[in-house]
Amino acid sequence: MVKVTIDGIEVSVEPGTTILNAARQIGGDAVPPAMCYYSKLPGTGGKCRTCLVEVAAGSAADPRPMPKLVASCSTPVQDGMVVNNKTSERVHNNRGGVVEFLLANHPLDCPICDQAGECHLQDLGYEHGSAKTRYEEERRTFDPIDIGNKIKLHMNRCILCYRCVFVANQLTDQRVHGVMHRGEHAEISTYIEKAVENDFSGNMIDVCPVGALTDRTFRFKSRVWFLKPMEAERSCTKCCGKAVVWMFGNEIYRITARKDKYGEVEEIDQKTAWLCNDCRFEKKDAADWNILGPRVINRQSVISQGKYATTIDKPVKRIG
Amino acid sequence: MKSRKLLLEHLDVPGIQGIETYVKQGGYTTLEKALKKMSPDEVVEEVKKSGLRGRGGAGFPTGLKWSFLAKPEGIPRYLVCNADESEPGTFKDRYLMEKIPHLLVEGMILSSYALGANTSYIYIRGEFMYVLEILQKAIQEAYAKGYLGKNIFGSGFDHDLVVTPGGGAYICGEETALLESLEGKRGNPRIKPPFPAVKGLWASPTVVNNVESIAAVVPIIRDGGDAYASIGIGKSTGTKLISACGNLARPGVYEIELGLSVEEFIYGDDYCRGIANGKKLKACVPGGSSVPILPHFLVTKTAAGENRLMTYESLADGGFQSGSMLGSGGFIVFDEDQCIVRNTWNFTRFYAHESCGQCSPCREGTGWMEKVLHRLETGKGQMHDIDLLADINKKIEGNTICPLGDAAAWPVAAAIRHFREEFEWHVTHPEEAQKRNYGLIQQPVVA
């Protein structure tokens, strides 16, 4: 075990753990935000740069500070490492810069976006963004495209976290979508708009941190905070059948996987509880499901402001 | 003062592209000597002694880089030559490969022997197809002579050399993006760690070196590391290829001894012979488009008033406040008629076009800077845009996966630092700025 200090809190972790995962073991304010890293998808991370932290001491053996901020999701801890996250002014400034970049070409169409209320970019903007934009240029735009008959891609909202590409690589047998072009013009796309046809493609909606990939069976039906999340299960031959059904009255409006406080699909019986497309898109009748009870949403976001239990015990405060 | 030539010594010998002439000039004897009389570690030791620093831009000691290579049992090691030379203003590697291809081939075999690599690759920029053909011909000749293949010079050392073209992306000159591209994937830089010395090509330990660094290994082993180290000043040893371009009377590729004064390089009869058409020097980018630009009063003298020399240290004297970098040796000179705002916009346009789009500060930041600079250049800028630019590049610098973000940020930061009044003039005189250039900026009065 190695010892690492993050924001003055010491924690012992397995060697090889990343700074971000060490911070998640501490929890609370010590955890840097992550837009592209997804612990259930090996290979993700390092791209969005929102999780940048300051390493004040590299290790006990070599206590020199690291000159640059490092991506906490992809930097392994060393014994005796001292990391500053929320306590560092430099991290705060640069994270604000990254959020500004992410929002520079973002359409800010939250009022008509299905992701509003459970969007990680909204939360990040609330915590680290500025009230006014300095971006006076014309925003880059793409036409929304249908990826099959169940998924809609709004490339305008995409932050190019590459998570959906990893889902396609790791959960499905034939990836037909990826990143095309480069730089500012880079976009997630299917080759010649080919439909993504496989049983687990719906999971890319769950991993998308923003509203770039949305569920066509739920689009514009309701705002998420009007719905009651309920834990439910059914026996399914393709997937674990353990889901959250989002209800209004006795009607099921949408079905998602069970996600933890970082927005990641939970592990159930040591397996990531990905949902198959049948469970996600086809089973919208309450009779299809065995409804277990209310689902606690553990995120500090609009989505957890509803009538059901939340863990917010203090107002979200803004520093700096 | 004429510089000694180590790399371009036989440049003018007719037929030096072919193996017969190259061998007649003493080619491949160094390889024979090393394979027969030296152990791999002795070769590495000579390179360490020579003080050779990476010629691709970063200037990291080559021998030290080689000694970091992990050597686990049963896993192959690779040497990859980075010939994806695409930095605006830099064209020295192309010249070397085009004129004396066998020097690179010999250097590749020699360096691979030192590293224990049985396969090596030359990753060449896709636009250099004709150079690729020259190299392939050279490699075939070397195979025919038995300098490549099995049991070279009866030493028991086997080596295969492959030359692969890139697909036309500047980013593939970044070493991990190069490796991705070589593996047949999209050329996105990898997240480090792990570094290539541990997990590089095909997840095996790999060394990536610039063309000129690998070519320089040949004279180092021929004459010995100490002889090489005796050229140059301090930690800048040996000779360096400089590709000089811009408003010079005689632009071109020059091999110089490190330690030559910048003044002699620009104005000397053996070198660039001054500014073209009798104009005055306005500014200089001494090491390829990504290094900070210097105004005329900081080109030949440092801020402290010392002579500036063509060395890694002297060009960096004063840090980014009043210095720059030797970089890759792309020496770009501007005369009094050039517009710095336009030039900065042009550089930024290049970086915005070449950003891979993987990490957010570079993807969004380079495009944003390009748009703001375009507005300033076309007379639609405002005063606060200049501060905005300075702030954007601070948010990019150091926060990206690979150095492309820094490379895009530095030239903008330096242009604003030294030529702020010219940017301001573009805002205050939008119509005049379309018709004429600002001219020379005034030298600050030193108290």
Side-chain angles (χ1 to χ4, degrees):
Chain A
M1 299 293 269
V2 296
K3 280 203 171 81
V4 53
T5 310
I6 302 171
D7 283 351
I9 306 163
E10 196 178 84
V11 63
S12 292
V13 295
E14 295 284 330
T17 310
T18 59
I19 298 173
L20 181 74
N21 280 329
R24 283 184 179 183
Q25 290 183 23
I26 297 171
D29 283 351
V31 187
M35 298 297 282
C36 69
Y37 173 75
Y38 203 85
S39 63
K40 315 299 191 297
L41 295 169
T44 51
K47 295 178 170 46
C48 70
R49 318 307 280 183
T50 52
C51 71
L52 290 171
V53 292
E54 184 179 74
V55 177
S59 66
D62 181 5
R64 286 178 302 170
M66 292 191 184
K68 289 181 180 181
L69 301 180
V70 301
S72 59
C73 65
S74 52
T75 309
V77 295
Q78 307 285 336
D79 195 32
M81 191 184 251
V82 179
V83 177
N84 294 329
N85 171 40
K86 202 136 192 174
T87 50
S88 162
E89 188 67 30
R90 191 169 151 221
V91 168
H92 187 75
N93 283 341
N94 282 285
R95 199 171 281 162
V98 172
V99 174
E100 186 173 25
F101 288 135
L102 289 176
L103 290 172
N105 275 298
H106 193 81
L108 294 171
D109 58 347
C110 309
I112 56 153
C113 176
D114 280 299
Q115 189 85 357
E118 54 180 5
C119 176
H120 290 254
L121 191 56
Q122 275 185 330
D123 294 352
L124 196 65
Y126 183 72
E127 239 180 286
H128 297 281
S130 54
K132 256 180 82 179
T133 180
R134 295 188 293 171
Y135 191 78
E136 297 170 19
E137 327 304 324
E138 195 175 315
R139 288 187 154 88
R140 119 188 120 227
T141 52
F142 302 87
D143 289 330
I145 56 174
D146 293 333
I147 300 185
N149 58 352
K150 300 286 189 264
I151 304 170
K152 189 89 168 177
L153 169 63
H154 274 271
M155 194 55 219
N156 288 349
R157 298 171 184 158
C158 178
I159 59 160
L160 284 161
C161 69
Y162 283 58
R163 280 179 183 176
C164 60
V165 180
F166 282 92
V167 163
N169 263 354
Q170 290 170 22
L171 293 188
T172 64
D173 24 5
Q174 283 170 323
R175 171 161 75 90
V176 291
H177 86 295
V179 176
M180 308 207 303
H181 311 300
R182 68 182 181 217
E184 240 200 341
H185 306 286
E187 60 173 303
I188 300 287
S189 187
T190 52
Y191 190 59
I192 321 181
E193 301 190 11
K194 192 175 184 306
V196 177
E197 291 292 351
N198 61 62
D199 286 339
F200 283 82
S201 62
N203 288 293
M204 51 169 116
I205 301 168
D206 273 346
V207 301
C208 185
V210 295
L213 291 162
T214 50
D215 180 344
R216 288 185 70 193
T217 66
F218 172 64
R219 274 165 63 80
F220 309 131
K221 296 264 163 61
S222 169
R223 308 271 22 174
V224 288
W225 56 87
F226 293 140
L227 302 175
K228 288 181 294 186
M230 305 292 280
E231 281 189 16
E233 63 180 20
R234 62 182 287 270
S235 75
C236 175
T237 52
K238 289 179 182 162
C239 68
C240 62
K242 292 178 168 55
V244 175
V245 297
W246 297 75
M247 306 183 73
F248 193 84
N250 289 326
E251 257 183 89
I252 296 180
Y253 271 60
R254 71 159 180 172
I255 297 153
T256 65
R258 296 184 189 172
K259 297 196 226 176
D260 62 17
K261 59 182 163 185
Y262 304 116
E264 294 184 6
V265 176
E266 269 183 4
E267 280 191 2
I268 299 172
D269 303 330
Q270 270 109 55
K271 272 189 180 163
T272 311
W274 304 110
L275 283 188
C276 70
N277 285 3
D278 274 1
C279 291
R280 184 186 303 273
F281 298 123
E282 311 293 345
K283 306 294 174 192
K284 294 284 178 85
D285 191 334
D288 291 331
W289 294 89
N290 178 19
I291 293 169
L292 304 168
R295 168 76 181 177
V296 176
I297 302 294
N298 256 337
R299 274 182 55 200
Q300 294 191 350
S301 187
V302 184
I303 194 174
S304 44
Q305 308 288 315
K307 300 165 203 67
Y308 289 88
T310 73
T311 57
I312 294 181
D313 50 7
K314 58 175 191 260
V316 181
K317 69 169 183 252
R318 194 188 154 85
I319 67 161
Chain B
M1 182 188 89
K2 264 200 155 107
S3 285
R4 262 171 289 181
K5 302 228 183 315
L6 296 176
L7 303 174
L8 303 181
E9 193 182 350
H10 303 300
L11 179 71
D12 298 328
V13 178
I16 192 72
Q17 273 196 348
I19 197 160
E20 298 298 340
T21 317
Y22 182 73
V23 168
K24 242 181 247 166
Q25 300 297 330
Y28 290 103
T29 49
T30 310
L31 178 66
E32 189 175 359
K33 172 181 122 182
L35 290 185
K36 286 186 173 162
K37 297 192 187 137
M38 294 171 83
S39 73
D41 286 344
E42 281 168 353
V43 177
V44 174
E45 212 41 53
E46 285 303 313
V47 173
K48 270 193 185 168
K49 258 196 249 170
S50 75
L52 174 68
R53 292 171 69 171
R55 299 296 196 225
F60 191 79
T62 305
L64 197 57
K65 190 174 191 176
W66 286 8
S67 65
F68 288 156
L69 185 69
K71 295 183 173 164
E73 282 293 307
I75 295 173
R77 303 190 277 275
Y78 295 102
L79 170 68
V80 177
C81 172
N82 185 347
D84 191 68
E85 181 182 52
S86 2
E87 179 108 335
T90 310
F91 46 88
K92 60 177 178 85
D93 294 342
R94 189 204 70 204
Y95 190 77
L96 183 69
M97 292 187 286
E98 195 183 328
K99 300 290 181 187
I100 319 177
H102 281 287
L103 188 64
L104 176 60
V105 175
E106 186 177 358
M108 286 297 283
I109 308 168
L110 195 52
S111 308
S112 300
Y113 173 68
L115 297 167
N118 293 111
T119 311
S120 63
Y121 296 86
I122 299 174
Y123 182 91
I124 189 164
R125 181 177 171 189
E127 285 86 344
F128 292 171
M129 279 319 264
Y130 70 104
V131 183
L132 176 125
E133 284 163 17
I134 293 169
L135 283 172
Q136 268 174 342
K137 185 159 167 280
I139 290 168
Q140 277 165 10
E141 288 174 340
Y143 268 108
K145 285 266 186 186
Y147 301 152
L148 274 169
K150 301 266 177 233
N151 196 15
I152 303 165
F153 289 118
S155 64
F157 176 64
D158 305 336
H159 192 70
D160 286 305
L161 175 55
V162 182
V163 47
T164 317
Y170 173 69
I171 190 66
C172 291
E174 197 277 338
E175 60 177 6
T176 55
L178 186 154
L179 296 175
E180 286 281 296
S181 174
L182 200 52
E183 289 179 5
K185 300 177 194 147
R186 184 185 157 91
N188 278 358
R190 293 178 184 167
I191 319 277
K192 285 157 275 191
F195 290 92
V198 180
K199 259 190 180 180
L201 187 64
W202 322 117
S204 307
T206 306
V207 166
V208 183
N209 278 141
N210 176 258
V211 173
E212 194 189 338
S213 313
I214 290 173
V217 174
V218 178
I220 287 169
I221 301 304
R222 187 187 63 204
D223 307 336
D226 290 329
Y228 190 85
S230 69
I231 306 171
I233 293 175
K235 286 185 175 168
S236 301
T237 60
T239 64
K240 170 96 187 77
L241 296 179
I242 304 287
S243 55
C245 62
N247 307 111
L248 287 163
R250 200 169 66 148
V253 177
Y254 295 91
E255 182 170 5
I256 61 153
E257 288 178 24
L258 288 171
L260 182 77
S261 75
V262 175
E263 185 161 10
E264 170 144 19
F265 183 69
I266 298 178
Y267 297 101
D269 278 346
D270 292 324
Y271 305 98
C272 303
R273 294 185 187 166
I275 311 300
N277 307 319
K279 302 263 182 191
K280 290 198 193 83
L281 174 71
K282 178 175 184 180
C284 174
V285 177
S289 63
S290 59
V291 309
I293 192 168
L294 294 174
H296 59 91
F297 51 87
L298 287 174
V299 175
T300 56
K301 299 265 186 224
T302 64
E306 289 165 18
N307 273 339
R308 209 182 280 278
L309 309 175
M310 299 287 276
T311 62
Y312 291 96
E313 294 77 21
S314 178
L315 280 169
D317 186 88
F320 278 4
Q321 271 313 308
S322 64
S324 183
M325 285 164 78
L326 180 61
S328 59
F331 198 86
I332 311 169
V333 169
F334 304 89
D335 72 18
E336 59 198 288
D337 291 341
Q338 306 310 314
C339 173
I340 297 299
V341 178
R342 187 172 186 84
N343 174 65
T344 310
W345 168 57
N346 191 31
F347 281 169
T348 306
R349 191 173 55 156
F350 172 80
Y351 290 110
H353 184 249
E354 295 296 342
S355 165
C356 79
Q358 196 182 193
C359 64
S360 18
C362 177
R363 176 183 67 236
E364 307 293 344
T366 53
W368 190 358
M369 288 202 299
E370 190 271 328
K371 290 183 186 101
V372 175
L373 278 160
H374 182 251
R375 271 197 286 122
L376 282 165
E377 165 58 18
T378 52
K380 298 184 188 94
Q382 289 164 297
M383 238 14 144
H384 65 81
D385 284 338
I386 302 169
D387 289 322
L388 175 67
L389 274 177
D391 193 58
I392 298 172
N393 72 57
K394 250 186 247 156
K395 298 273 165 65
I396 300 175
E397 189 189 341
N399 289 346
T400 53
I401 295 174
C402 80
L404 194 139
D406 299 341
W410 291 342
V412 178
I416 295 176
R417 191 182 309 127
H418 297 304
F419 297 91
R420 195 181 178 101
E421 49 189 276
E422 189 166 336
F423 281 84
E424 287 172 357
W425 180 75
H426 272 254
V427 175
T428 50
H429 301 79
E431 280 170 21
E432 211 181 337
Q434 303 304 300
K435 290 185 199 124
R436 70 170 185 95
N437 286 318
Y438 183 75
L440 287 178
I441 61 159
Q442 297 305 308
Q443 184 158 359
V445 181
V446 183

